[in-house]
Amino acid sequence: MNSQDAILPIAIPLAGAGVAMLLRGWPKAQRLWTFGILMASLAMCVNLLNHVFSSSKPLVFQLGGWAAPFGISIVVDALSAIMIVMVQFVMLMGCIYALDAKDIAKRYSVFMPLFLTLTVGLTGAMLTGDTFNLFVFMELIVISAAALTAMSDDRSGTEAAYKYFYISQLATIFLLLANGLIYMSYGTLNMADLAIRIKTDALAGGPMPPMFTLAMVCFFATFMIKCAAFPFHFWQPDFHAAAPTAVSAMLSSVVVKSGVYGFIRMTTLLFEPFAPQLQQVLMLIGAIGVIYGGFSAFGTHHAKRMFAYSTLAQIGFMLMGIGWGGTLGIAAAIVFMVNHALIKSAMLMLSGYLASKAQIKSASFENIKGLGKYLPQSGVLFFVGSMALAGLPPLNGFVSKMMVFRAGIEAEQWAWLAAIGLASLLTLIYTMRAFQWVWFVPPAAGVKAKKDGDSLFAPTVLILACVVLGIWGESLVSVAIQASEWVQQPAAYIAAVHPAK
Amino acid sequence: MASMDKHRYLGWASAAIPAGLFAWFAAQLPAIAAGAKLSYTFNWLPTLGLQTGFSLDGLSLLFALLITGIGSLVLIYAGYYFTPHNATEPATRPFSEARFFAYILLFMVCMLGVVTASDVITLFIFWEGTSIVSFLLVAYKYKDAEARRGATKALIITGGGGVALLAGLLMLANVAGSTQFSAIFAQAALVKASPLYPVMLGLVALGAFTKSAQFPAHHWLPNAMSAPTPASAYLHSATMVKAGIYLMARLFPALGGSELWFGLLVSAGFITMILGAVKGLFQQDLKAVLAYSTISQLGVLMMLIGWGSSTAMKALAVGTIAHALYKGAMFLMAGIVDHSAHTRDLGALRTLGLRKYMPLTFAATILPALSMAGLPPLLGFLGKETLLAAIEEAHGGLIVVVFGAILAGAFTLAQAAMLLFDTFSHASHPKSHPSEAANHAHAAKYSDPPFGFLLGPALLGVLSLVLAFDWLLEAGPITTLVGSAAKAAYGDKVKVDLALFQGFNLPLLMSAMAIAIGLGIAQYRHRLRTKFGSLWLLQPVRMDALYHGFMRSLEFTAKQATGLQNGSIRTYLSLMFIGFGALTLWFGAWRWPAIANPFLIEAQPLQALRIFSLLLVVAAALASVLARRDLTAIIALGASGLGVALVIALEPSPDVALVQIIVDILTTVILVMAMDRLPVKMRDAAYKIERQEHILTRLRHLTIAGGAGLFMFMVCLNALSGRPRNSIVTPFYEQQSKPFTGAADIVGAIVVDFRGFDTMIEITVFGVAGAAIYSLLRYATQKHGDDLENADNITQIADRPAVPNLEILGRATSTRGIGGRVPSALVQLAAQAILPISIIVAFVHMLYGHDQPGDGFTAGVIVAIAVGLMVLAYGQIDTFKRLRWLRPGYLIGSGWLVVMLGSLSPILWGQVFFSPFDFSVATGLDRFLPVGASISTSFLFEIAICLTVIGSASWMLQTFAREPAKITD
């Protein structure tokens, strides 16, 4: 495989976005085109994943042929490959959902192009090997997602977008600052190059450059905002209640993963010598997240908000996996990321589906209580999805939960284990309570489902994927374990990007 | 009777599956007893070292036989249960209850999985499955709030136990180094010596106790009685609740035998036994009595496992069989009564005297009731005998436990008597004797059920009798089964002799005591019930205080948690700043800069101008914060930006300074336009609100803002004093830019060549920003009351604003400038003239951008500013009518495509994506070009940037300059 192919998962949707912009006058063609582009791009991602694992070394493309660290490197290693397949699969599902959704927002002429640029941003953030390039992709994610939200049918969509944009701008500032400080300290922005230099410095035992620690803190804060960890999570719940379903499903499932991905890169590559310090904080933040998120999800009375808070808790699980570290810990985080992406997008789509079927378009439980009487199929999906979210066998959520537990036991982190134990119980409680409210409680007089509503196709596929990844968990677990082994050995990554060193 | 009802066929048909399995399991008995072990393993998650699979030994077989055997009877029974009792009742739809049969079969699969699992993970997977199916079955009549509540409670308690169990099992596997039971047993010594032993035992026990309704987690079971009776009989008596018993018996060889094990299991089992036995007597509901009696029996079994002697394991096996048989039968009987009499209230049933109308049912109940009472010659008697023999033997026959067991036996006997007589016999009170007429009515209403309905309870009752004579046979099936099950649980051979009469020994004496006391209690049960029934302790549990308290505290905590999310972005940002501050301090990232750095005071050329520019930046920024009028603030901000440009220009970095200047101008123009859309009153109000804030609030804001400012101050000073840095990449860029990219200007080379990819994404961001502002202001904020159904039409006309369709949006076309004012003709003329000039300037910028300051971005912004002037002069509608080529969406899209094509095309010449490449040299066109110009990838890039920037900026201008929709202020 040509090393240039590494750029295709970015280039295809980007070119696609350009064409989609030109197709603004032909909405049908535009939608079909977007769908086709995402399919093609996903196929490319799968191809890359396959290639990376079969050749067992990272595929690196130096843009413009400039050797690292002078140009920008695109690096597809096992972790990135898994991430981009996850991102693009979920984005494709989001696109399918949007195609058949009754949202007015999706009929705006720029909806589909922005959906593509969001894909570009996410994919790029996970493929790039350059910290400034990461910043640029993060910006693209933020602006695309904020715009997509602002278009929402919901009255408070604009406000939600405003909040998201504002808070993400804070992350942008932190990331820019981090870039400046790290460049000031080491004069390079290439991650592999930085990793070598930081390690050399740390091993020498001398003082680190004066602004180095602050750069690390800025990166840390950026990723915390990205993955919506406490206390940087505030954009999430307000956002999800208002964003168009297809968009909120993407944000809660894959956009937050860019932060988690960032933490993995921070602890295993960029700031590897300082990993113990970082992991300590990650564990703490993770624990606060699982507890706080679990309780908040229990306390809210809006399906989409509930799942937003639930994301906060689930991200906590991943952060703890990274915090515990080791092959099993990181692998647990990776498996958790992928499984959560599938489950959470499906659940948010189902909530959106319910809202679209209700007389008033809102996923507030008051509004959708009892609606399930008319929508039995979605009840089955929701029930299975809830089981997956709560980590019950035989679904994929169980595999992730079990891996996190095992990682915690191996790392002998008893107090944190108690926290995630409580959180899993809370998940079970609030999802099943929601299920009962919608499907078991008899509808109040006058509550009836609308004839037309969103399509169940995309969530069905996602839930099926959850079932498949639960029963055939080995497929994901084995690649995750390998990916985890790879990231534990940053030398291979560095050598691939930077053969001179 | 609805003969057309399909449920009976469904019952019989689905019963074939478990019946077949039962036969298969039964056929394995001889081999298993001989010591063979059937197993099947498969690699579920080999990467994690998880060998999952199933294996069948004596203990598994015992439970498997109960599950399949009782399962088939329950399925047959359920077919009748879901058929209306008689023609007067509404007929059910065919197969309307098929869901139930599916659940039961699913449950059976899960339960069989639990008892045949050969490793902890497989066991856990099916364990959780039983919890979920149980939830579905308890909530089967989900329209009933009581059923939903019971289901939730059961799920929360067993689910919580499940989490603990998973942790405990994984710990166990971690210590033993394997998830396989056989390997774990081999490491029993290691496990017991591990410092984690108490923790893992506690967690596993928590899982087992919640599942098997041990004190204090027992209270979900009575609430779970809202399930249809066949499910109660099957899940909540005969099988599922025994999963915890099975688990502890299964893990006895690994975890058992310690002091802790004994103390934990015996005390929990003991309390549960007494509690269930006593409370059961005071229940009104037939099923509640049965539920408490089940709880009591589960306590007995748990206690036996805790006891841990070989005789205890024997008693465990016998007790499990005996209880499953009689309690299953009693539950099924309760269902029949309920089905016929439509009540389960003992008080109500006593007024009916059902014995007269349902003699067969009564007869079928006698045997299981006797077995439950522990009377010879039934299995229940054997169970009690072996129990008493076990507890008086080992551990010095703890006197409390012995008396407790006798007492529990007595109460169970009384319960059995109550169930038998109060359900079927008539109250002896003469006044309540029904009249003849009532008798007739009753006879028509209550009658014995059809054969199939009675089959289950009757067969189970008969088995309770027949199997008790197993000892007459040489190596009878029950003896064999009990022997091999006890052996599997105990881990060593267990001597089994199940003769009903073992001579006059202590157990027999105790048994007799229990029977005597029991008969006494039974005799005075009504008096006891009326006397003590009102005691709080004996009340039927609806929502147990513990559980209720748990849910309350959950809700309270949840409310606190969500309270933080108050919707105010100010709160959010404040908390985030505080969080960031905490992170900075935690990592010790704060560095006091060296203020006295020579760089800051060292004399440099143009020092005065430098100081002036810095002062300008600071003063203007301060003014923008303090200004009373927002327009002043915007202009001050613009001035501050120009100050920054001056600083940059003095660096000297003319390229960046140029960009800064024009961006600053464009931003100011757009901001002013945006501000113009807000009604003055609204802006004033916002300003006033801010001034009226409480002093503490303002102080808080001041602290946070000041902290952020101080932070940036520290960073900047550090950055300055840290210089000169030695960049790794700059020397390379200096050397390489001219020869490889043809650019004399490093900044230009970095922007379009070395780091051109960044720029590519940045222009995407810029384009998206334009699209975002456009769609936001055009549609999103005006969606309420707009003609949304025609959103598509609006979309299509958006690029052709002059089309009269705009009337849809309720805006008149006009040739007025911004704010409805008509600008002077001179300005209009100037605008007309400046636009073409700006385009020429822009083109030159692009052509020579590589060597000279300026680039595509500058070019784009210059044109955009000229367009802005046009908009000011003519208003947006006229402007875009005049400039037909100015179609933002297309400009952005084509910009993106040009950059993509430009960076892809070097591939045609064997280069890679984004290589710098000069097409004019490659194609020989360079001869025709002016000096210094070339058609290269960078030139295409500049064009693309320019197109995107013009598109995006003019989109913003177009959007902002639109006359705002009427906002009433």
Side-chain angles (χ1 to χ4, degrees), chain A residues 4 7 11 14-15 17-19 21-22 24-25 27 61 63-66 69-72 104 107-110 114 117 130 132-133 136-137 139-140 143 147 150-152 154-155 158 163 166-167 170 174 177 181 183-184 186-187 197 210-211 213-214 217 220-221 224-225 230-234 237-238 278 281 292 295-296 298-299 305 309 328 383 392-393 398 401-403 405-406 409-410 414 421 425-426 428-429 432 436 440-442 470-471 473-474 477-478 481, chain B residues 44-48 50 121 124-125 128 132 135-136 139 142-143 148 152 155-156 159-160 163 166-167 170-171 174 196 554-555 557-558 561-562 564-565 567 569 572-573 575-577 579-580 583-584 586-587 589 591 711-712 714-715 718-719 725 727-730 732-733 740-741 753-755 757-758 760-762 764-765 768-769 771-772 774-776 779-781 783-784 788-789 792 795-796 799 889-890 892-894 896-897 900 907 912-916 955:
Chain A
Q4 245 180 110
I7 197 78
L14 188 54
V19 174
M21 265 299 202
L22 300 185
R24 286 176 63 240
F61 175 54
L63 275 157
W66 305 107
F70 306 111
I72 294 168
I104 294 156
R107 288 196 264 152
Y108 293 152
S109 61
V110 294
L114 293 195
T117 54
D130 185 284
F132 188 77
N133 198 229
V136 179
F137 279 118
E139 267 196 291
L140 188 56
I143 190 107
M151 294 174 202
S152 166
D154 196 286
R155 201 165 262 277
T158 318
K163 284 176 187 163
Y166 234 105
I167 291 175
L170 196 60
F174 286 147
L177 210 52
L181 295 172
Y183 184 71
M184 192 183 116
Y186 288 104
R197 286 168 202 281
M211 286 288 93
T213 319
L214 194 58
V217 170
F220 199 92
M224 273 181 81
I225 296 178
F230 184 90
F232 295 91
H233 65 279
F234 293 106
D238 292 356
L278 296 172
V281 183
Y292 176 79
F295 277 116
S296 301
F298 183 81
R305 282 183 93 88
Y309 279 121
L328 196 56
F383 191 80
L392 293 181
F398 171 66
K401 187 170 91 175
M402 183 181 66
M403 284 183 77
F405 268 73
R406 269 180 70 138
I409 288 168
E410 263 184 21
W414 312 120
L425 178 61
L426 279 173
L428 184 68
I429 296 175
M432 286 301 165
Q436 293 206 6
F440 278 0
V441 174
I471 291 166
E474 175 64 15
V477 171
S478 63
I481 290 269
Chain B
W44 179 52
L45 283 175
T47 328
L48 294 178
L50 291 187
I121 298 297
F124 181 77
I125 289 174
E128 292 287 76
I132 283 291
F135 167 78
L136 290 172
Y142 54 78
K143 282 173 195 143
R148 293 197 300 269
T152 310
L155 184 72
I156 290 175
V163 174
L166 178 63
L170 287 174
M171 270 183 205
N174 194 43
L196 286 179
L554 265 191
E555 263 156 35
T557 323
T562 43
L564 210 51
Q565 189 85 23
I569 190 147
Y572 301 168
L573 286 175
L575 283 168
M576 289 166 77
F577 275 119
F580 181 74
L583 276 181
T584 311
W586 174 275
F587 283 106
R591 289 273 179 285
F711 173 81
M712 282 314 292
M714 180 270 285
V715 171
N718 268 311
R725 57 173 182 247
S727 170
I728 312 293
V729 289
T730 312
F732 175 86
Y733 291 156
F740 287 99
T741 70
D753 284 312
F754 297 111
R755 301 192 64 94
F757 191 55
D758 281 344
M760 179 169 171
I761 303 302
E762 274 299 347
T764 315
V765 172
V768 169
Y774 158 77
S775 40
L776 217 166
Y779 306 128
T781 56
K783 56 193 147 216
H784 313 300
L788 289 174
E789 292 310 308
D792 268 350
T795 299
Q796 286 176 32
D799 273 337
Y890 292 104
I892 294 175
S894 42
W896 291 352
L897 280 182
M900 186 54 75
I907 296 176
V912 294
F913 185 70
F914 251 101
S915 296
W955 226 351

Side-chain angles (χ1 to χ4, degrees), chain A residues 87-166:
Chain A
V87 164
Q88 299 220 343
F89 177 71
V90 175
M91 289 301 292
L92 177 66
M93 289 301 133
C95 172
I96 292 174
Y97 187 89
L99 286 179
D100 230 348
K102 296 288 172 284
D103 285 309
I104 294 156
K106 71 122 194 211
R107 288 196 264 152
Y108 293 152
S109 61
V110 294
F111 187 89
M112 287 297 168
L114 293 195
F115 211 74
L116 286 170
T117 54
L118 180 61
T119 314
V120 173
L122 279 166
T123 313
M126 283 156 179
L127 284 184
T128 185
D130 185 284
T131 56
F132 188 77
N133 198 229
L134 176 71
F135 163 79
V136 179
F137 279 118
M138 290 283 190
E139 267 196 291
L140 188 56
I141 297 174
V142 171
I143 190 107
S144 310
L148 285 170
T149 308
M151 294 174 202
S152 166
D153 298 2
D154 196 286
R155 201 165 262 277
S156 45
T158 318
E159 190 192 334
Y162 171 73
K163 284 176 187 163
Y164 171 67
F165 190 67
Y166 234 105

Side-chain angles (χ1 to χ4, degrees), chain A residues 269-446:
Chain A
L269 181 73
L270 263 180
F271 300 102
E272 194 212 346
F274 301 92
Q277 275 170 276
L278 296 172
Q279 285 171 326
Q280 215 181 349
V281 183
L282 283 177
M283 276 187 259
L284 180 68
I285 292 166
I288 296 174
V290 292
I291 299 290
Y292 176 79
F295 277 116
S296 301
F298 183 81
T300 187
H301 289 261
H302 188 288
K304 284 188 172 178
R305 282 183 93 88
M306 182 180 89
F307 288 120
Y309 279 121
S310 149
T311 298
L312 181 56
Q314 305 274 313
I315 292 288
F317 279 84
M318 298 165 217
L319 295 188
M320 274 208 227
I322 301 171
W324 292 331
T327 306
L328 196 56
I330 304 268
I334 297 171
V335 171
F336 216 112
M337 270 199 260
V338 176
N339 286 341
H340 175 254
L342 300 175
I343 302 167
K344 194 48 68 65
S345 49
M347 294 313 267
L348 279 166
M349 284 176 190
L350 287 171
S351 311
Y353 167 80
L354 289 173
S356 77
K357 284 280 186 186
Q359 296 299 333
I360 305 166
K361 189 167 181 177
S362 158
S364 155
F365 285 123
E366 268 320 303
N367 191 39
I368 55 176
K369 216 175 231 182
L371 202 63
K373 189 183 168 202
Y374 312 100
L375 313 163
Q377 301 93 327
S378 61
V380 176
L381 295 176
F382 193 95
F383 191 80
V384 175
S386 299
M387 279 173 69
L389 193 64
L392 293 181
L395 295 149
N396 58 352
F398 171 66
V399 179
S400 6
K401 187 170 91 175
M402 183 181 66
M403 284 183 77
V404 171
F405 268 73
R406 269 180 70 138
I409 288 168
E410 263 184 21
E412 311 202 331
Q413 301 286 353
W414 312 120
W416 305 136
L417 267 178
I420 61 174
L422 176 64
S424 354
L425 178 61
L426 279 173
T427 318
L428 184 68
I429 296 175
Y430 64 72
T431 50
M432 286 301 165
R433 194 183 55 169
F435 175 78
Q436 293 206 6
W437 276 340
V438 180
W439 280 275
F440 278 0
V441 174

Side-chain angles (χ1 to χ4, degrees), chain B residues 397-421:
Chain B
L398 265 175
I399 199 78
V400 188
V401 176
V402 172
F403 277 113
I406 293 173
L407 196 67
F411 269 94
T412 310
L413 187 143
Q415 285 174 9
M418 184 169 87
L419 286 171
L420 185 64
F421 294 115

Side-chain angles (χ1 to χ4, degrees), chain B residues 735-753:
Chain B
Q735 288 162 18
Q736 309 281 321
S737 50
K738 191 68 199 171
F740 287 99
T741 70
D745 176 7
I746 309 184
V747 175
I750 293 174
V751 168
V752 294
D753 284 312

